[in-house]
Every structure is written in C-alpha cells, then in structure tokens.
Amino acid sequence: MSVPPEEAAKDVFEVVPIIMREIRSVMRSKRPPVLTVPQYRALSFVDRNAGASLLDVANHLGLTPPSTSKLVDGLIGHGLMTREEQPVDRRRLKLAVTDRGHKDMIAARQGTLAYLTDRLRNMDEGDREVIARAMKALHLIFTGNPKIGERWG
Amino acid sequence: MSVPPEEAAKDVFEVVPIIMREIRSVMRSKRPPVLTVPQYRALSFVDRNAGASLLDVANHLGLTPPSTSKLVDGLIGHGLMTREEQPVDRRRLKLAVTDRGHKDMIAARQGTLAYLTDRLRNMDEGDREVIARAMKALHLIFTGNPKIGERWG
DNA sequence: AATAATTAGTTAGAAGGGCTAATTGTTAGA
DNA sequence: TCTAACAATTAGCCCTTCTAACTAATTATT
C-alpha cells in the first residue's frame, strides 16, 4: 500500500505534538533540578562541545542569538554553565558546563529516557523497529544529517 | 535485528524535539494570522467539539485549568473564540470557534501540512510507509487511542 | 433550610521561550 | 584609517505553563 506524503504529514502533525508534550512534562517534573527542554538541549550540546560560542549553540538549537543569550543567562544564573572571555577573539564566548550542570543534564536525560523506554517496552518488537527506522528517516530529512545517536556516546 | 526499547527511546527523544521545533516555527510564521501550536490545538478541539467546557479543553491539551483559561482568553481577545454562559450549569462555559477562528485554524493547518508534506515528498516511499506506521504505533501507546486522523475528517 | 464539600473557572505572580529591532564592542579588509 | 562585518547583548513584545489562592455555583449532608 502506498502512503502519499500528505498522509504521512498528517500523521506526523498529529502525533509529534502529543509526544513532545509528554517529553516536556517528564523533563520538567524532575525536581530538583528542573530543566526545560531547551535548557537540556543547550546543556547537552555544550557538554559535548566545551568552549562552544553562543552562535554555535544558537545554530544547533535553531534559535536566534538573542533567544540563546537569554537561555544561557538562565543556565548561568542557576550555576549550570559558565561564560568565559576568549583572549583570541574577544567577541566570541567560551561556554562550558559546570559539574552541577552536567549532573542535572544526566538526571534529566535519564529520567526522560526511562519514561520513554517504559512506554516503548510493552509493544510489539516489530513496532519498535518501525519506530527506530522512522526516526532515522525523519532525522535525515529534517537535519540533513544521516547520523543519529552520536549525542549519546 | 532486534531493537531494544532503550534504543527506540533515544531515537524518539532525539528526533521529536527537532520536528516539533519545525512545526512551531512554520505555524508561527504565517502572518497574518499567527497561531501558536497550543492556540491551534485549542481551536481545533473546540471546532470539533462545539460547546466544550474549559476543562474539556484543558484535559484534551494536557494543560492545567489556569493555563487553559489564559490561552482561551487570548483566543477570545483575538476574536477567534467565544465564551458563553450556560443556563443549565452556570459554572460551566460553552466555548465556540468564530468564523474567523475557523478560517485561521484551517490556514494554520494547511500551511503546516504543506510544509511537512513538502519535506516528506522527496523521500523513499518505503520510508514514508514506515513513518506512517510508526506514528500510528506511537499514537496508540501515548494516547491509548488506536484511531488516528479522525481530527482531519 | 443551613451548612459543608465539591466543582468550574479565574486571578495573581513567577519563570521561561521566542521573536525583531537596535546597540555595543571587536575584528578584518579596502 | 575607516568602514564593513561579526558576536553578543539589551530592550520590548507576546505567549506558555506552572502553583497558589480565590470566587461563584452546585450538590450532598445533616
């Protein structure tokens, strides 16, 4: 049976927001610490790319520089990230995750993954394979990057 | 090859936020009108369930009553929804979508679907089928409802 | 009928998310 | 040098979502 792009689009549009709400809810419910999804994503990126600049983070998150600046502000305010000046190019920041930021990030990740894993446990193994394949295909068309999972080491 | 729930969870956790950001971005970029995702979802629900109460909307969206109240406030302020009193139970609201609300909702939906459709067009047909199947499986485990797509008539 | 408990919805206040436009400093180039 | 480009921030806007505390209306209890 052939699936036209219109139908797949409708399915994605209906299901993705539902799952996203779950993810957000789980991630924000860990307390303390409380991490929002963008905060988690920023921490995770800087954790893997120590010394990243603000624009690096903005590009990775798909946010504008001002939004990212505010986001980083909040993380620094909570002691989860640091902002350093670089002697090489004083315009460019050097962001880094603190120990506490690293721990909070890991906690948020594990909590969310545990929840999702639990949800995915009681289903047909074939369905799980379909989901994994679908996610890889979606990742490719939405990011252009065929690699997935590298953020997980 | 077997896909353990942990792996599928990681894939979902990585990809869903990316797609969601795209959806949000596209939906908010139509101007005028500008509808956010929660605004769209509230309109869409009330459009299909005229006379719904605030709690009906809150439950459907997975939001608290105060959040929903504020959300509805905004929609009414923009002339997209109406709030009526019911003589039967004067505590219970009767929400309805205005003509303009209906039109804006359709416009937001079509714009977003057009974008997603476009993205999904240039891919292997087999991948599209995998995506459609994955979305149906995910919909079932996250909502308990096997039916999908009814919202699209 | 009077009182208590529940239910529907709102208000207030907080922290965050995301944008555009305008600004400050810094570096590189003609 | 002087200008253009760049990195980041500030200001100001509106939306999201929560908890806590509240009002008003209904139902249940005595």
Side-chain angles (χ1 to χ4, degrees):
Chain A
M1 67 176 90
S2 151
V3 175
E6 288 80 5
E7 189 194 320
K10 285 178 183 177
D11 291 348
V12 169
F13 186 32
E14 179 163 0
V15 175
V16 164
I18 293 173
I19 302 174
M20 194 59 208
R21 213 173 45 232
E22 297 289 317
I23 290 176
R24 196 170 10 239
S25 168
V26 174
M27 187 163 297
R28 297 191 62 149
S29 72
K30 301 294 158 211
R31 69 183 169 290
V34 180
L35 282 187
T36 65
V37 170
Q39 285 172 336
Y40 165 78
R41 289 180 68 79
L43 277 178
S44 173
F45 176 76
V46 175
D47 193 60
R48 280 174 295 123
N49 301 81
S53 74
L54 191 94
L55 284 190
D56 293 337
V57 179
N59 286 333
H60 178 76
L61 298 186
L63 298 179
T64 59
S67 300
T68 312
S69 185
K70 209 193 270 191
L71 174 60
V72 167
D73 256 4
L75 291 170
I76 291 172
H78 287 104
L80 309 179
M81 208 183 258
T82 59
R83 174 165 33 196
E84 264 180 67
E85 214 177 74
Q86 250 185 340
V88 195
D89 184 341
R90 302 231 313 279
R91 294 172 299 182
R92 213 178 229 96
L93 296 184
K94 238 177 89 170
L95 297 171
V97 172
T98 65
D99 284 356
R100 193 163 140 229
H102 183 78
K103 281 205 312 190
D104 284 10
M105 180 201 70
I106 296 291
R109 170 190 298 172
Q110 304 230 316
T112 308
L113 285 181
Y115 167 81
L116 290 176
T117 299
D118 196 55
R119 285 276 167 168
L120 293 164
R121 198 186 307 281
N122 299 319
M123 75 189 307
D124 213 59
E125 190 176 310
D127 282 348
R128 260 202 312 273
E129 196 195 322
V130 165
I131 288 170
R133 281 175 56 198
M135 291 302 138
K136 284 165 180 64
L138 288 169
H139 186 264
L140 176 60
I141 54 170
F142 280 100
T143 69
N145 182 358
K147 258 188 284 183
I148 186 177
E150 65 178 41
R151 87 175 59 236
W152 310 106
Chain B
M1 64 175 96
S2 153
V3 176
E6 288 79 7
E7 188 194 319
K10 285 178 184 176
D11 292 348
V12 169
F13 186 31
E14 179 162 0
V15 174
V16 164
I18 293 173
I19 302 174
M20 193 61 208
R21 213 173 42 235
E22 296 289 317
I23 290 177
R24 202 177 353 252
S25 168
V26 173
M27 189 163 297
R28 298 190 64 149
S29 72
K30 302 293 159 209
R31 67 180 170 292
V34 179
L35 281 187
T36 65
V37 170
Q39 285 172 338
Y40 165 78
R41 288 180 69 79
L43 277 178
S44 173
F45 177 76
V46 175
D47 193 60
R48 281 174 294 124
N49 300 81
S53 74
L54 191 96
L55 285 190
D56 293 337
V57 179
N59 286 333
H60 178 74
L61 298 185
L63 296 178
T64 59
S67 300
T68 312
S69 184
K70 211 188 267 192
L71 174 60
V72 166
D73 257 6
L75 291 170
I76 291 172
H78 286 106
L80 309 180
M81 209 182 259
T82 59
R83 173 164 34 194
E84 265 180 68
E85 214 178 74
Q86 249 185 340
V88 195
D89 184 340
R90 302 230 315 279
R91 292 172 303 183
R92 209 179 231 93
L93 295 184
K94 239 178 86 170
L95 296 173
V97 172
T98 64
D99 285 355
R100 193 162 142 233
H102 183 79
K103 282 205 313 192
D104 284 10
M105 180 200 70
I106 296 292
R109 170 190 300 171
Q110 305 232 313
T112 309
L113 285 182
Y115 167 81
L116 290 176
T117 299
D118 196 54
R119 284 277 168 166
L120 293 164
R121 198 185 308 281
N122 299 318
M123 75 189 308
D124 211 61
E125 190 175 311
D127 282 348
R128 264 204 307 275
E129 196 195 322
V130 165
I131 288 170
R133 280 175 58 199
M135 290 302 137
K136 284 165 180 61
L138 288 169
H139 187 263
L140 178 59
I141 54 170
F142 280 101
T143 69
N145 182 359
K147 256 188 285 184
I148 186 176
E150 64 178 40
R151 86 175 58 235
W152 309 106

